[in-house]
Amino acid sequence: LATSHLEELQRQGLNDTLVENALGNVYLLLNRLEVAEKHWKRALELDPNNEAALRSLAIAMHDAGRDEEADLYMRKYKKGNQWDRVIIGRHIHLLGRLGRQSEAFAEGETALEKYPFDRLLREWMANACLANQRKTEAQTHKAIAERLTPGN
């Protein structure tokens, strides 16, 4: 139903980034990534710096395991929005997954300067340190994350 209303707006000549982003989001909820991706890319054709489309594509590509594409969208998104903790965390995870550990650690340290009390970031850093034989650092991050966990 939502798609038919949004597509009707398009037929009436309303081709703007809001409609394209909304269609992308609805199609993603319907598990139709290819169609969602088409709409977000159309939003970027209308506005190459559209943060909603860049963010949606970055997250969807990351979730789909399309790491190189996710990296490109995340980098472009972060040029306009350096404070989005979800994208920062996902980008750190993605860099690690791509085997770019030093870049991931550098971004993680920068993120911790901005968000020293982010529990999920501390947990990621603990896991990344363990995976890279940095046990002392891993223990430090884990201990801080545990103190930041609600109920402790």
Side-chain angles (χ1 to χ4, degrees):
L1 186 60
T3 55
S4 61
H5 289 299
L6 291 166
E7 288 168 348
E8 179 58 30
L9 290 173
Q10 283 183 312
R11 281 190 288 281
Q12 293 176 12
L14 183 62
N15 280 329
D16 71 0
T17 58
L18 289 175
V19 173
E20 296 297 341
N21 281 314
L23 280 165
N25 294 337
V26 170
Y27 278 111
L28 183 66
L29 291 172
L30 296 172
N31 290 317
R32 296 186 57 196
L33 176 59
E34 306 81 26
V35 181
E37 183 179 356
K38 178 189 87 159
H39 287 288
W40 292 322
K41 286 182 176 180
R42 175 70 180 125
L44 290 177
E45 289 173 14
L46 296 169
D47 175 7
N49 297 311
N50 184 272
E51 286 188 5
L54 289 168
R55 188 177 197 277
S56 294
L57 281 162
I59 291 171
M61 297 302 102
H62 182 236
D63 288 347
R66 292 166 56 182
D67 295 345
E68 296 295 336
E69 292 171 88
D71 184 39
L72 292 173
Y73 290 119
M74 287 180 189
R75 287 179 189 281
K76 188 163 185 181
Y77 173 79
K78 287 181 359 180
K79 285 181 183 176
N81 187 332
Q82 299 175 18
W83 302 102
D84 186 326
R85 290 172 22 187
V86 170
I87 295 297
I88 291 169
R90 281 177 173 265
H91 197 224
I92 292 166
H93 175 260
L94 176 69
L95 291 168
R97 201 159 73 183
L98 288 169
R100 293 164 32 198
Q101 300 299 330
S102 61
E103 195 176 345
F105 278 108
E107 190 157 330
E109 294 300 328
T110 300
L112 284 174
E113 289 174 12
K114 292 179 188 176
Y115 305 109
F117 304 112
D118 188 303
R119 180 182 53 82
L120 294 175
L121 179 57
R122 291 287 180 175
E123 288 174 357
W124 180 88
M125 289 295 285
N127 292 333
C129 288
L130 275 177
N132 287 278
Q133 310 305 315
R134 296 164 68 168
K135 292 180 183 177
T136 303
E137 288 177 80
Q139 290 171 340
T140 300
H141 288 299
K142 184 177 181 190
I144 295 170
E146 287 172 354
R147 287 196 308 264
L148 295 172
T149 301
N152 281 349

